[in-house]
Amino acid sequence: MAKEKKNNNERFEKTLFKAADKLRKNIDAAEYKHIVLGLVFLKYISDSFEDLHSKLLAGKGDYEGADPEDADEYRAENVFWVPKIARWSYLHSRAKQPTVGKDVDDAMEAIEKENQTLKGILPKVYARPNLDKASLGGLIDLIGNIALGDEAAKSKDILGRVYEYFLGEFALAEGRKGGQFFTPKSIVQTMVEMIAPYKGRVFDPCCGSGGMFVMSEKFVENHKGKVNDISIYGQESNQTTYRLCRMNLALRGIDGSQVKWNNEGSFLKDEHQDLKADFILANPPFNDSDWSGQLLRKDPRWQHGVPPTGNANYAWMQHMIYHLSPKGIMGLVLANGSLSSNTSGEGDIRSGIIGADLVDCIVALPKNLFYNVTIPACLWFISRKRAGNGNRKRSGEILFIDATEVGHMIDRKHRVFTDEDVSQIANTYHEWRKENGDYEDIKGFCKSATLADVEKHKHVLTPGRYVGIPDEEDDGVPFEEKMKTLTAELAEQMAEEKRLDDEIREQLKRVGFELEITDCDLKSER
């Protein structure tokens, strides 16, 4: 029944996105996503407002004597105050007017004015000449039909799912650029399930549209915790992506006040210099060569070696290690080259991090998980909890998981993990960490290796080197019998090949062409 409900949800979101995409016309996906997602966000906060507004109007129970037009009543319930000109019912009534674009922009301005936490966040792009106003009106009608019930919780769940689905579809439509603001759910879910951020500070120094934070909140809720058990900290250098992130968080009632933006980025202007995070999750740009490394040669964050100016992989890793609390754990997505590169001192940095006994687990991912690149990537899990701290002592060990064959293709270019795939990877890690876990090496999939083993491989961390190749399943057929069958099939195929060759020669001879056969050909025929 749950699977059927999930499929119905996916069909609903897919149908909705297709309808919205039809209204796009001559606007590219990069621009159109702000138009659509801004309206989804506006619909959400308006629905939440209207739900509380109706309760205040009724004046029953805790709301007896309350003023439904007092903004403080809404702030007390963690609901955004929505002025009359920004309420969905008002905008919906004007959807067919030629001024609807200006009306929506005015609504966004009014909401920001009344809610300081949203200041500078909402898109004001609806009055642009290249946005067909009839299409905008159609989009407002379409999104107006999303809410299935009056409760804010229902609206939040449905609109949150729609927002998340649309983010993924726009990332897919944008291709390479789309990957800069969105990490596929398969990867985020795997990372969150593995580091299990139940309680504490969660940090992402290149947070994109906020998927790591949203999935962390879902993890806490799914495991019967409280949403406020975790606090989030983030940084993003792309302002438009930062705005998407803040809307994504606000859509779910997550406090985004500690998610910061500056155009210099985490390396040059670290907005959380004193933060020591309990959990760090990040998907930084792969192999970034333009990270201003030449300006940071003596930075205190480089505790295991100065990263090369032409590649930021180990700069990101050390930046995060620097922000890791004494019992913290982090998950990091990087290009596979980070596992084996020895250029520009990267091998020495990797050896230093391994020697400091920080590397907990390496997961090799399959190709085609990302929207923007087809190359395979890997997950690094770095932990300061390896001496125990609630788990078994794992000093001097690294778990390698080869997940390159996990998942399934949803189309010719894109692969996803099912919930079962994620559980297989995460449970392997958790069983390995437990005091009395049910972990065992599985040839071709996972291997617990010692640092001595890693040293023999010259500190190369590619999981395939450690897990080996899976044994072929015994089909019960004796080797001699199997070979007899195979050689008989080969003889038949060779005989068929000769018959076809003779037929080709005969047909060529009939039209006046003689096929010359060289000595080599004759020898091969013999």
Side-chain angles (χ1 to χ4, degrees):
M1 191 70 168
K3 189 172 182 180
E4 183 181 343
K5 182 180 178 182
K6 183 179 178 182
N7 290 337
N8 286 338
N9 288 343
E10 289 173 352
R11 282 196 293 268
F12 164 69
E13 291 147 12
K14 188 174 183 179
T15 302
L16 193 66
F17 183 81
K18 282 185 175 179
D21 200 43
K22 282 182 181 178
L23 296 167
R24 178 154 64 102
K25 296 187 177 178
N26 63 335
I27 303 174
D28 65 42
E31 185 180 353
Y32 191 60
K33 73 170 180 278
H34 298 290
I35 294 167
V36 177
L37 294 172
L39 287 175
V40 173
F41 177 77
L42 186 59
K43 179 68 165 63
Y44 162 71
I45 65 169
S46 184
D47 278 9
S48 299
F49 173 87
E50 294 288 1
D51 180 55
L52 182 53
H53 187 261
S54 63
K55 291 176 181 176
L56 294 170
L57 277 174
K60 295 179 181 178
D62 293 339
Y63 303 114
E64 187 176 353
D67 180 2
E69 295 302 322
D70 182 357
D72 288 335
E73 295 284 358
Y74 298 85
R75 295 185 183 113
E77 298 281 341
N78 200 27
V79 172
F80 292 109
W81 166 257
V82 183
K84 289 183 178 179
I85 65 164
R87 294 172 194 175
W88 193 264
S89 54
Y90 172 79
L91 293 172
H92 205 181
S93 71
R94 299 181 61 80
K96 299 296 186 285
Q97 299 294 322
T99 60
V100 64
K102 185 177 184 305
D103 291 337
V104 178
D105 282 348
D106 290 344
M108 297 293 188
E109 290 277 6
I111 289 169
E112 285 191 353
K113 186 177 179 181
E114 295 290 342
N115 301 275
Q116 288 300 304
T117 57
L118 295 177
K119 190 171 179 62
I121 300 300
L122 305 185
K124 274 86 65 180
V125 295
Y126 299 91
R128 289 183 179 180
N130 68 330
L131 177 56
D132 178 64
K133 299 308 175 282
S135 295
L136 177 57
L139 199 56
I140 290 171
D141 284 339
L142 186 68
I143 293 170
N145 293 323
I146 294 176
L148 305 176
D150 295 328
E151 295 179 26
K154 282 186 179 179
S155 176
K156 176 180 176 180
D157 178 58
I158 294 162
L159 286 158
R161 284 199 339 255
V162 168
Y163 193 96
E164 185 177 338
Y165 182 83
F166 278 25
L167 273 174
E169 289 300 302
F170 281 124
L172 188 59
E174 287 187 66
R176 189 170 185 83
K177 289 182 179 178
Q180 295 173 0
F181 73 85
F182 185 80
T183 305
K185 183 180 177 182
S186 294
I187 296 173
V188 179
Q189 189 177 358
T190 301
M191 294 172 72
V192 169
E193 289 290 336
M194 289 182 74
I195 75 167
Y198 283 108
K199 191 170 185 176
R201 299 174 298 273
V202 180
F203 177 48
D204 184 346
C206 43
C207 60
S209 58
M212 300 287 187
F213 299 136
V214 170
M215 194 64 73
S216 296
E217 292 278 354
K218 284 183 181 177
F219 179 88
V220 172
E221 289 179 337
N222 291 343
H223 291 81
K224 310 303 181 188
K226 298 176 182 176
V227 172
N228 58 7
D229 281 347
I230 64 173
S231 53
I232 65 169
Y233 298 80
Q235 185 165 342
E236 175 57 46
S237 60
N238 183 300
Q239 190 175 36
T240 56
T241 302
Y242 162 75
R243 288 170 176 166
L244 284 178
C245 176
R246 291 294 303 272
M247 284 194 290
N248 197 12
L249 298 176
L251 197 67
R252 294 166 174 82
I254 301 172
D255 179 12
S257 60
Q258 290 302 317
V259 178
K260 307 293 185 180
W261 166 81
N262 70 60
N263 58 11
E264 295 176 82
S266 291
F267 293 132
L268 291 178
K269 190 177 180 182
D270 186 354
E271 294 283 355
H272 302 285
Q273 290 186 26
D274 300 324
L275 174 68
K276 296 299 179 184
D278 303 296
F279 305 97
I280 299 177
L281 291 151
N283 173 25
F286 289 2
N287 306 318
D288 186 7
S289 61
D290 186 25
W291 66 282
S292 302
Q294 69 278 5
L295 303 176
L296 300 164
R297 307 320 290 157
K298 296 182 179 180
D299 196 284
R301 288 171 289 186
W302 317 146
Q303 297 172 358
H304 303 283
V306 180
T309 57
N311 193 316
N313 287 346
Y314 281 99
W316 281 115
M317 190 180 297
Q318 292 188 88
H319 174 75
M320 293 178 220
I321 291 173
Y322 180 81
H323 280 292
L324 203 58
S325 73
K327 294 184 180 181
I329 181 170
M330 63 182 248
L332 169 66
V333 191
L334 282 179
N336 272 359
S338 63
L339 300 173
S340 58
S341 172
N342 287 310
T343 59
S344 305
E346 288 185 326
D348 293 333
I349 299 173
R350 185 172 60 254
S351 298
I353 293 170
I354 294 168
D357 204 24
L358 289 170
V359 182
D360 211 35
C361 177
I362 300 290
V363 180
L365 297 173
K367 295 180 180 178
N368 304 110
L369 277 181
F370 288 89
Y371 296 145
N372 55 331
V373 290
T374 57
I375 62 169
C378 59
L379 303 179
W380 288 68
F381 292 91
I382 287 176
S383 175
R384 296 195 191 275
K385 294 177 68 176
R386 289 165 57 73
N389 296 319
N391 295 294
R392 73 175 181 84
K393 186 176 180 181
R394 305 184 305 285
S395 301
E397 293 178 73
I398 298 175
L399 175 64
F400 292 94
I401 298 176
D402 188 340
T404 53
E405 299 300 320
V406 175
H408 67 279
M409 301 296 289
I410 55 171
D411 56 40
R412 193 170 57 85
K413 293 183 178 180
H414 301 102
R415 180 184 291 266
V416 298
F417 287 165
T418 62
D419 290 344
E420 290 75 19
D421 294 330
V422 172
S423 294
Q424 179 192 13
I425 297 168
N427 289 345
T428 299
Y429 177 55
H430 290 304
E431 290 300 322
W432 178 76
R433 289 176 62 182
K434 284 180 184 176
E435 190 71 50
N436 297 300
D438 190 24
Y439 171 83
E440 61 180 39
D441 292 342
I442 300 174
K443 200 170 182 182
F445 179 67
C446 61
K447 168 73 176 178
S448 182
T450 65
L451 293 191
D453 294 331
V454 174
E455 192 171 348
K456 288 177 186 175
H457 287 280
K458 299 181 179 179
H459 298 109
V460 171
L461 297 179
T462 307
R465 290 198 176 200
Y466 301 90
V467 303
I469 300 171
D471 294 326
E472 288 189 21
E473 291 187 16
D474 186 2
D475 57 9
V477 180
F479 177 76
E480 292 79 7
E481 185 178 333
K482 190 181 293 185
M483 285 303 295
K484 187 176 180 180
T485 302
L486 291 172
T487 52
E489 289 176 359
L490 180 61
E492 289 177 9
Q493 291 168 358
M494 292 173 73
E496 178 66 9
E497 180 188 16
K498 186 177 184 308
R499 186 189 70 76
L500 291 172
D501 287 345
D502 292 342
E503 179 69 21
I504 291 169
R505 292 191 190 102
E506 184 62 31
Q507 294 298 331
L508 287 171
K509 190 184 291 183
R510 287 182 181 180
V511 294
F513 292 93
E514 193 76 32
L515 185 65
E516 294 183 6
I517 302 176
T518 66
D519 289 342
C520 289
D521 292 328
L522 289 170
K523 286 177 183 176
S524 65
E525 282 192 355
R526 294 192 197 105

